[in-house]
Amino acid sequence: MILIDLGNTNAKIFKDGNTTKIATTEIIEYLQSVTEEVLLCSVVPRYNQQITSMFPNVRLITGNDYQLMFNNQGGVLDSKGADRIVAAYSAVQKYGPKVVVVDIGTCVTIDVCNQNEYQSGLIYPGFVMLENLLNEMIEQLPKGVKEETIISTQSQIYHASIYGFIGALQNMIRQIRPSSEYNIIVTGGSVAKFSEEYNIDLLQELGFDNVYYEQGLIENGLIQFTNIIKETL
């Protein structure tokens, strides 16, 4: 079975232990050449109906499936993205029973879970979104640029964006984490971006105990979900 995590920007394809990344806009073209069964975790509604109507070999994870991973009495989780539910389930299985999952990507999502109970969560703009905000909203301001000193306008915008984003993450986790017993699981593409482009270790900067980085959270969650499907057949 091919596992696909379809995000707003990219689609990650997990097959035979290998990971391939393509642009989200290329997903229809990719699926046209696939004959195997596909398990799809998608946060892009505009593609979901098209994919399920065109490709009978694709199983889309929906709100109906959430009950298999968490208590979803009354459909309270149905509005949540499948990536959040799958990632949270994966984190509970590996780091649980009490976890705070922080996914830092196009957007930041924070989810708090205790065993099979989804307790709360937050959604916040991603770093690139915030980084571009001043430049897009105020015509005379440039984009931030990394410099040794914090003198130029570009450098001040850059450093403020970094400090502000990390501070926001710290405060959101501090406010929503029920207690220090909850492990903090950090995932998402922007973690590597901070390390590679800005030479910043986000996990260290957060300053919390019990913080773990898990790159394959959704992949592992999709693998675990396939086992759930088999058990229910």
Side-chain angles (χ1 to χ4, degrees):
M1 177 177 282
I2 298 176
L3 311 175
I4 299 179
D5 172 21
L6 185 63
N8 290 293
T9 306
N10 297 306
K12 293 181 181 178
I13 301 164
F14 311 110
K15 180 181 179 183
D16 300 329
N18 298 313
T19 302
T20 304
K21 184 184 292 186
I22 63 173
T24 294
T25 53
E26 299 173 356
I27 189 63
I28 300 296
E29 181 181 357
Y30 170 81
L31 289 173
Q32 288 174 341
S33 63
V34 172
T35 57
E36 300 100 312
E37 290 187 353
V38 175
L39 180 63
L40 177 65
C41 173
S42 170
V43 297
V44 193
R46 67 181 182 276
Y47 284 112
N48 294 349
Q49 184 173 357
Q50 184 180 3
I51 288 174
T52 53
S53 62
M54 290 179 62
F55 306 105
N57 57 320
V58 175
R59 160 94 184 245
L60 175 68
I61 296 178
T62 67
N64 294 330
D65 297 311
Y66 295 171
Q67 184 64 45
L68 301 175
M69 292 176 276
F70 290 99
N71 178 7
N72 191 27
Q73 188 173 0
V76 296
L77 299 180
D78 290 357
S79 63
K80 304 293 184 293
D83 59 333
R84 296 174 67 182
I85 301 302
V86 170
Y89 178 76
S90 177
V92 167
Q93 301 308 305
K94 185 171 182 178
Y95 298 96
K98 299 179 179 182
V99 297
V100 178
V101 181
V102 184
D103 190 339
I104 308 173
T106 304
C107 291
V108 175
T109 58
I110 302 177
D111 297 293
V112 182
C113 303
N114 185 353
Q115 296 184 352
N116 73 327
E117 293 292 334
Y118 180 96
Q119 295 181 299
S120 60
L122 296 171
I123 302 176
Y124 189 72
F127 179 73
V128 173
M129 208 179 295
L130 290 174
E131 188 180 30
N132 293 334
L133 181 62
L134 288 177
N135 178 250
E136 294 175 357
M137 297 297 293
I138 303 176
E139 184 176 346
Q140 66 267 33
L141 286 181
K143 289 192 65 173
V145 176
K146 181 179 181 180
E147 296 174 352
E148 293 297 324
T149 61
I150 312 178
I151 296 176
S152 72
T153 300
Q154 294 96 321
S155 179
Q156 291 174 357
I157 291 173
Y158 167 83
H159 284 90
S161 298
I162 295 287
Y163 299 154
F165 185 73
I166 293 174
L169 288 177
Q170 291 172 322
N171 197 42
M172 287 188 292
I173 294 170
R174 189 176 295 115
Q175 294 298 323
I176 202 168
R177 187 187 191 190
S179 72
S180 60
E181 295 178 347
Y182 283 69
N183 291 323
I184 300 169
I185 318 304
V186 180
T187 189
S190 288
V191 179
K193 177 183 177 68
F194 269 84
S195 177
E196 295 166 3
E197 297 187 20
Y198 310 126
N199 196 29
I200 293 175
D201 185 337
L202 265 182
L203 273 66
Q204 183 176 340
E205 291 292 331
L206 288 176
F208 294 101
D209 294 329
N210 304 333
V211 179
Y212 305 91
Y213 175 58
E214 182 64 60
Q215 186 175 9
L217 205 57
I218 291 183
E219 178 184 7
N220 293 335
L222 289 173
I223 292 172
Q224 292 163 359
F225 186 74
T226 60
N227 295 328
I228 294 176
I229 296 174
K230 293 174 183 177
E231 293 173 0
T232 58
L233 294 177

